[in-house]
Amino acid sequence: KQWYQRRVRGGIEVVYGVAMLQFSTSIYSAIPICIGLAASSPIMLVTTWFGSFVGISTVACLMPKWDMVNLRLGLYGINASITSSVLIGNFFLLSPSSIFFGAMAVMSA
């Protein structure tokens, strides 16, 4: 299949990217992470999911062949989720420019 014919399978890789914040390969580890992030900072919760989604989407568009082991372990989503949660809404004011530059940093992470 060509790169445009491949799809991220049900978005489960995005959940793995968030679950890897606890270095866990279980998707159920994302539940307490999301509860903790929602209690402390809802903006950080949204930016963490946004970063994992953008990171996995970038991998889906740019990789000619999928490395399914690293993709399933969330290794492409964890760096992107950490980068976006720090750059977009944690240390900077949430604004359109911070979202833009955070998304650019996530694509290069």
Side-chain angles (χ1 to χ4, degrees):
K1 291 185 175 183
Q2 298 295 323
W3 66 271
Y4 56 85
Q5 294 173 332
R6 297 185 191 128
R7 293 186 182 172
V8 176
R9 224 177 40 149
I12 198 76
E13 287 83 2
V14 176
V15 180
Y16 278 117
V18 174
M20 276 300 290
L21 291 173
Q22 290 290 337
F23 302 108
S24 173
T25 57
S26 172
I27 60 171
Y28 299 112
S29 298
I31 296 170
I33 293 170
C34 291
I35 292 171
L37 287 175
S40 65
S41 173
I43 292 174
M44 186 178 266
L45 173 67
V46 172
T47 57
T48 300
W49 280 95
F50 173 75
S52 183
F53 174 75
V54 170
I56 295 297
S57 299
T58 304
V59 169
C61 290
L62 296 180
M63 286 188 70
K65 294 182 180 178
W66 283 59
D67 185 7
M68 288 304 291
V69 173
N70 290 333
L71 186 69
R72 294 295 296 185
L73 289 176
L75 297 179
Y76 295 115
I78 184 173
N79 293 332
S81 63
I82 291 171
T83 303
S84 69
S85 66
V86 169
L87 288 180
I88 294 176
N90 195 20
F91 294 123
F92 301 103
L93 293 175
L94 187 62
S95 66
S97 63
S98 71
I99 293 171
F100 174 75
F101 288 116
M104 293 297 111
V106 165
M107 287 183 201
S108 65

